[in-house]
Amino acid sequence: MTHPVLACRSCGQTDLTPVLFLGKMPLADRLLADSMLADAEPALTLTLHFCAQCALVQIAECVAPEQLFCEDYPYYSSFSDALLKHSRDNAKELIEQHKLGEKSLVVELASNDGYLLKNFIERGIPVLGIDPAEGPAKAARDAGVETMCAFFTEPLARELASSGRRADVIIGNNVLAHVPDLNGFVAGIGVLLKQEGVAVIEVPYVKDLIDHCEFDTIYHEHLCYFSVTASRHLFARYSLSINDVRRLSIHGGSLRLYVGHKEEISPTVDALLEDEQSSGVDEIHYYEDFAQRVEQIRESLLKLLRGLKDEGKRIAAYGAAAKGATLINYVGIGSELLDFVVDRNTHKQGRYMPGQHIPILPCDTLVSERPDYCLLLAWNFAEEIMNQQAEYIQRGGRFIVPIPAPRIIQEGSVEVH
Ligand code: DWN
């Protein structure tokens, strides 16, 4: 099921330094059905490392992707309005900037339920989705998005290219972080991308992870956590150039990399590289106090929740997110503290959170059951969720946001870090 990775997933060097030990953790997206509750649940070590050679931050463990992205994989992108708008804006910009039309081809790697590619189809632009998770892939096909249920690899790229299907645009959002064969994946992008094409890759930004202590975004699906510095080493290995980069707020802070065969580097890339160098993102000292700050969050969140329970308060949680599984299992938040978790994703409702086996219920349970407090496990969508749950708040419910520091959100204020 898992084996420790002793060499950097990008450069292959063995000069890896441990940065954070999260202990034994369940698989974050392995939501349990009733029939699974009595069975032994896999719990694997989870440790974050830094590569001194290429600055890539990564976990040491590698769980078989077939085990993670199986038919039960519960993550569907279309349950977030903010993400759908983010994707719509991205597609619109690419269509206009690259003058895409009926003779173009847009390929999305990890296309999930077709949430993004449908924006191109609406404009008559040919697309191809590639996603290994059967559930989301079927949902995409049902929505009219041509989708291959497969892992993207260099051999698959060669097969597509040799059949004449090279891409004007390749999109890969939140997939590069999940790929065990990082080099093969990037090599495949080089094979599939037309000479004048652009690959648009979104990855979690390691600087946001460290600066805002977003330790809950570490789980076995997320193998790597990228900086521009580390990404440039990776893409340059396949003669691909990071020509532009944008910092995004989505998912707690991401990078959007614009990659091409030709080197046409915009000043934004150099500016972020300089910022990373001055922050020390490419040196171990930048990471040295991370574990201690994570421990402080663990202690203050437990103290806050236990204090509320001692006052006789009832507490629930919102968002059966993968990050939520890391948070409740690392901090030790079980059914003695949380009555239930709510989630909009109907594929998650009726199941139980990994490790703590807390039931996942529909969102309207917040109003019907009216817990005094609600721990926001999907804090990266705080604004969208708190606006959506206005009735719960008006009736006196209060959200607790755990990251970057646990705090109770008073009515009317929505803080994001
Ligand atoms: O890389 C990944 C990131 C991008 O998404 C995947 N490997 C897994 C997933 O991580 P996550 O589960 O932590 O992501 P989310 O999208 O932050 O999870 C949000 C959860 O909250 C989802 O289960 C959907 C739910 N939700 C909801 O119930 N109501 C979300 C919104 C916006 C809502 O209004």
Side-chain angles (χ1 to χ4, degrees):
M1 173 187 285
T2 179
H3 57 81
V5 171
L6 304 176
C8 174
R9 298 171 188 278
S10 174
C11 71
Q13 296 291 326
T14 54
D15 191 1
L16 296 177
T17 306
V19 169
L20 179 68
F21 295 88
L22 286 161
K24 280 189 176 276
M25 301 294 284
L27 299 181
D29 267 325
R30 186 177 180 273
L31 306 184
L32 293 90
D34 280 306
S35 58
M36 298 160 68
L37 292 175
D39 301 341
E41 189 174 356
L44 310 163
T45 57
L46 189 56
T47 51
L48 195 69
H49 287 69
F50 168 77
C51 173
Q53 298 304 315
C54 73
L56 183 65
V57 176
Q58 54 205 286
I59 62 172
E61 294 75 12
C62 187
V63 178
E66 295 74 16
Q67 178 138 13
L68 294 174
F69 306 106
C70 55
E71 59 183 318
D72 258 1
Y73 184 64
Y75 178 77
Y76 288 71
S77 302
S78 295
F79 285 97
S80 160
D81 298 340
L83 185 60
L84 291 175
K85 180 183 184 314
H86 170 82
S87 308
R88 203 164 38 247
D89 295 347
N90 185 13
K92 183 171 180 296
E93 188 179 293
L94 286 168
I95 292 168
E96 289 163 5
Q97 270 185 354
H98 297 274
K99 299 178 177 50
L100 300 177
E102 59 187 22
K103 296 192 184 311
S104 308
L105 175 63
V106 176
V107 177
E108 185 180 9
L109 312 178
S111 48
N112 199 264
D113 55 10
Y115 73 105
L116 175 60
L117 288 176
K118 67 184 182 185
N119 293 288
F120 294 94
I121 292 175
E122 286 163 8
R123 303 278 289 265
I125 297 164
V127 303
L128 173 65
I130 301 174
D131 196 293
E134 288 176 31
K138 182 182 181 307
R141 289 194 203 104
D142 293 349
V145 180
E146 184 189 354
T147 301
M148 293 176 77
C149 187
F151 288 95
F152 179 69
T153 61
E154 188 179 359
L156 176 56
R158 292 197 181 286
E159 192 184 310
L160 289 167
S162 59
S163 65
R165 299 185 87 176
R166 294 187 70 201
D168 297 274
V169 174
I170 294 175
I171 297 171
N173 293 343
N174 297 296
V175 56
L176 198 61
H178 299 65
V179 174
D181 179 8
L182 202 50
N183 284 287
F185 191 90
V186 172
I189 289 175
V191 168
L192 188 62
L193 188 67
K194 284 181 181 175
Q195 197 53 31
E196 304 297 324
V198 62
V200 187
I201 311 288
E202 285 183 19
V203 291
Y205 190 19
V206 72
K207 203 162 182 295
D208 288 303
L209 163 62
I210 301 299
D211 291 354
H212 305 301
C213 224
E214 298 170 355
F215 72 92
D216 53 346
T217 60
I218 301 168
Y219 34 87
H220 293 100
E221 284 172 41
H222 277 178
L223 302 173
C224 298
Y225 304 79
F226 292 92
S227 57
V228 182
T229 304
S231 306
R232 190 172 61 154
H233 286 301
L234 173 62
F235 285 99
R237 203 168 291 129
Y238 300 92
S239 305
L240 292 168
S241 172
I242 299 178
N243 290 325
D244 198 359
V245 59
R246 282 193 207 156
R247 286 190 71 168
L248 306 168
S249 61
I250 197 80
H251 290 304
S254 301
L255 289 176
R256 179 184 289 163
L257 308 172
Y258 294 83
V259 174
H261 289 290
K262 288 185 173 179
E263 191 172 287
E264 300 160 328
I265 301 174
S266 94
T268 56
V269 178
D270 293 330
L272 270 174
L273 286 169
E274 283 161 24
D275 175 63
E276 289 181 358
Q277 191 157 37
S278 61
S279 306
V281 164
D282 57 347
E283 293 167 21
I284 186 60
H285 72 73
Y286 177 70
Y287 304 90
E288 282 170 342
D289 73 342
F290 183 52
Q292 179 202 340
R293 289 187 287 127
V294 170
E295 185 55 24
Q296 282 166 356
I297 290 178
R298 194 181 71 80
E299 287 172 7
S300 59
L301 180 55
L302 262 184
K303 184 179 173 193
L304 173 61
L305 297 177
R306 285 174 177 163
L308 293 172
K309 288 304 280 185
D310 291 346
E311 293 170 19
K313 302 299 184 184
R314 291 178 57 220
I315 311 171
Y318 190 121
K323 64 172 73 67
T326 294
L327 188 91
I328 63 175
N329 283 288
Y330 176 74
V331 173
I333 301 171
S335 47
E336 80 288 349
L337 289 172
L338 296 182
D339 295 348
F340 54 83
V341 177
V342 297
D343 197 288
R344 204 178 181 187
N345 179 338
T346 49
H347 303 275
K348 297 187 176 184
Q349 294 168 7
R351 294 206 168 220
Y352 296 80
M353 291 297 284
Q356 301 297 337
H357 300 184
I358 300 167
I360 303 165
L361 305 175
C363 296
D364 57 13
T365 314
L366 278 186
V367 172
S368 60
E369 291 295 320
R370 292 182 58 189
D372 301 290
Y373 293 91
C374 185
L375 177 61
L376 190 49
L377 298 174
W379 47 265
N380 50 312
F381 291 121
E383 190 168 353
E384 176 178 354
I385 291 170
M386 291 173 70
N387 288 337
Q388 175 203 106
Q389 294 301 323
E391 183 180 358
Y392 168 67
I393 294 170
Q394 280 155 11
R395 292 183 176 210
R398 290 292 175 268
F399 279 95
I400 297 169
V401 174
I403 300 292
R407 68 243 190 243
I408 297 171
I409 304 297
Q410 294 313 321
E411 185 172 9
S413 77
V414 175
E415 306 160 66
V416 285
H417 52 247

